[in-house]
Every structure is written in C-alpha cells, then in structure tokens.
Amino acid sequence: MLYLDTIRRQDAGPRTRLQLVGSFLDYKNSKFVHYFTPRRELCVDESTIKFKGRVSFITYNPKKLTEWRILVYTMAVSSTGYLCGILSYYGSLTTDSLIKRDLPVTTRIPLHLYSMLLEKLPGAQGHHMFTYRYYTSYKLAEEILKLKYHLKGTILTNKQDGCHMLEQLE
C-alpha cells in the first residue's frame, strides 16, 4: 500500500488503471533485477496473475484454473524459479514497445526480456535460455548468437522456419 501512496503523490492528476497496474508491475520488475543476479540457465515462459478488477487487458479463459487473469511474460532462473524479469501483456501496446520491430513477436519477447537483464549486467555472456515451442525459432537462435548466449528449446518442424533450421543442423 505504501508503494501506491507514493505513486499517487508523484502525480496528482488522475491515473488510468493501465498506468496504475503497469507502474506496480514495473516497480516489481526493477526489484527482481536489482536484488538478484541470475545463474547461467534462464527460462522464458508465460505466467498469470489472478485478477478480477477492471482493466482493459485482463484475459478470460473458462477452461483455466485462473479464469480471470493478467498475462505476463517471464524470465526465470531454471534451477530455483526466481523471476529475474517480467513483461506485462497489454495487447498491442506490448508489441509496439518491444525491440526490433522487423522480427516476429515470438522472437521479440525473449530478446526484450534478455535485454532488460543485460541493462543490469552489461557485458554478460554465456547464458543458456530455455524456451518452449511457442518461442523457439531460427530467427531467435540467430539473434541470440549475436548476443553471445545460447538457446535451447523444442522446435516444431511445421513452423515457418523450422525446416530451414533442421537442414542447417544436419
């Protein structure tokens, strides 16, 4: 509650729900990165935060355990599960703010999360990023190689660039 009072004092004008929730998640993200230096193995995945308030970016899925939720993309340490980076899903607002607009969104999300980590640890190399089939692609592997870290994940052969990746591996 102290954090929300601080936000209100900084800006006396009315704030939208998006700004309030976004500010809170940005604050939490800065603390995740500030107080913890991750190990070599990182995992990129999606997580949910149970929420029934009124915000435009809430998602509803009656088949899930958490029906009403806020979707966040996370980067966590594989061995402990500690979050070292989060990126909130705000619909098209999220995709517009990501780096490298010429790449697919599924490539830009892991790159954005890793770039947030590199801001804290400039010059870090040799991390291993684990992804599942939604994120893993040939383009992501190329971009990760440029940053001098490694990608491990499941690929689908029916993905647009999956066959090209398999040809190069053989």
Side-chain angles (χ1 to χ4, degrees):
M1 192 63 174
L2 178 63
Y3 172 73
L4 293 177
D5 292 337
T6 306
I7 291 174
R8 289 187 184 115
R9 274 188 250 122
Q10 288 175 353
D11 182 15
R15 296 179 64 88
T16 64
R17 291 182 183 107
L18 175 66
Q19 290 170 324
L20 252 168
V21 173
S23 296
F24 176 72
L25 292 174
D26 290 343
Y27 171 78
K28 295 298 280 182
N29 193 34
S30 70
K31 295 302 177 186
F32 290 149
V33 174
H34 180 72
Y35 288 111
F36 186 73
T37 303
R39 297 189 176 96
R40 272 182 38 165
E41 290 83 22
L42 303 171
C43 178
V44 174
D45 203 356
E46 300 162 353
S47 294
T48 58
I49 300 169
K50 185 175 182 175
F51 189 77
K52 282 189 102 172
R54 293 184 180 182
V55 291
S56 61
F57 52 91
I58 196 167
T59 58
Y60 175 73
N61 188 345
K63 296 179 182 177
K64 297 286 187 177
L65 184 62
T66 308
E67 294 176 351
W68 296 96
R69 60 205 175 134
I70 296 174
L71 181 65
V72 292
Y73 302 105
T74 59
M75 182 167 43
V77 176
S78 296
S79 59
T80 62
Y82 185 88
L83 293 179
C84 52
I86 60 173
L87 174 65
S88 306
Y89 173 74
Y90 302 125
S92 63
L93 291 174
T94 302
T95 57
D96 292 342
S97 66
L98 295 176
I99 60 174
K100 300 194 178 191
R101 290 180 174 230
D102 57 323
L103 296 173
V105 174
T106 56
T107 300
R108 293 166 55 202
I109 291 168
L111 288 175
H112 185 82
L113 287 167
Y114 196 71
S115 68
M116 290 183 341
L117 180 66
L118 288 178
E119 287 176 13
K120 181 193 177 225
L121 304 168
Q125 295 180 6
H127 285 101
H128 294 258
M129 181 184 290
F130 293 87
T131 60
Y132 76 105
R133 64 181 183 228
Y134 179 70
Y135 299 108
T136 309
S137 69
Y138 183 71
K139 290 180 182 182
L140 178 60
E142 284 181 328
E143 293 296 320
I144 286 177
L145 188 60
K146 291 177 189 175
L147 295 173
K148 298 182 181 174
Y149 67 104
H150 310 282
L151 174 69
K152 296 178 182 180
T154 306
I155 62 169
L156 297 175
T157 56
N158 63 351
K159 242 187 168 179
Q160 190 174 19
D161 58 358
C163 294
H164 180 62
M165 190 174 185
L166 288 175
E167 289 172 5
Q168 292 223 346
L169 292 174
E170 291 176 349

